[in-house]
């Protein structure tokens, strides 16, 4: 009979020994046979994501634009036709996501829908480039 060792629970040199729990991750030992030591992986707990890594904790990230959590954006940006971005996806960085207006409008708001503005002088028009360099520029005037 072959011995069985769950490296996520056992106390041995090649075992997890609480490494995953200390990293707030789940441990998975896919093969509990004693001949298959060092195959445990650290796995990110939701809402964190990241690929499991054998014999060590995973490198987890928190993208508040795509994750589901109390501080996450959810669909707040999408429902107002804006893009969401999370400038810092470290697991400890929370509530720093932003909604950003889609071109030609501009505007940015942390943790909420942005107040989008349209600057007609900066609008790109296929017939004249930017309007500032188009009608106004052609007349030798500045666009304001």
């Amino acid at each position: 009979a072959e011995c069985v060792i769950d490296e996520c629970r056992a106390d041995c040199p090649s075992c997890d020994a609480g490494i995953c729990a200390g990293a707030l991750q789940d441990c998975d030992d896919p093969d509990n046979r004693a001949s298959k030591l060092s195959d445990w992986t650290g796995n990110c707990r939701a809402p964190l994501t990241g690929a499991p890594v054998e014999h060590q904790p995973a490198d987890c990230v928190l993208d508040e634009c795509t994750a589901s959590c109390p501080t996450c954006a959810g669909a707040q940006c999408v429902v107002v036709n804006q893009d969401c971005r999370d400038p810092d996806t470290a697991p400890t960085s929370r509530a720093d996501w932003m909604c950003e207006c889609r071109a030609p409008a501009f505007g940015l708001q942390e943790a909420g829908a942005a107040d989008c503005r349209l600057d007609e002088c900066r609008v790109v028009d296929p017939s004249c480039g930017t309007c500032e360099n188009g009608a106004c520029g052609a007349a030798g005037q500045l666009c304001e």
Side-chain angles (χ1 to χ4, degrees):
E2 187 168 357
C3 293
V4 174
I5 298 176
D6 183 344
E7 294 180 276
C8 294
R9 295 193 170 111
D11 184 18
C12 65
S14 68
C15 295
D16 171 77
I19 294 170
C20 290
L24 301 176
Q25 297 181 18
D26 295 320
C27 180
D28 179 46
D29 186 1
D31 191 336
N32 291 337
R33 291 180 292 167
S35 61
K36 291 291 192 171
L37 294 177
S38 300
D39 65 339
W40 63 269
T41 59
N43 298 287
C44 303
R45 290 180 187 161
L48 306 181
T49 59
V53 179
E54 195 169 88
H55 203 115
Q56 66 184 28
D59 185 17
C60 301
V61 298
L62 175 62
D63 183 341
E64 293 179 290
C65 291
T66 59
S68 178
C69 67
T71 62
C72 293
Q76 291 185 50
C77 299
V78 176
V79 297
V80 292
N81 200 30
Q82 296 177 7
D83 294 321
C84 182
R85 62 182 177 129
D86 187 356
D88 187 349
T89 57
T92 54
S93 178
R94 305 265 174 151
D96 64 337
W97 57 272
M98 301 176 202
C99 287
E100 185 171 26
C101 302
R102 294 180 177 159
F106 64 96
L108 189 67
Q109 176 65 46
E110 188 172 279
D115 178 22
C116 297
R117 295 173 304 285
L118 183 64
D119 184 344
E120 294 177 272
C121 294
R122 295 183 181 182
V123 172
V124 176
D125 182 333
S127 67
C128 65
T130 61
C131 291
E132 178 178 23
N133 295 328
C136 293
Q141 301 173 353
L142 295 175
C143 185
E144 291 184 16

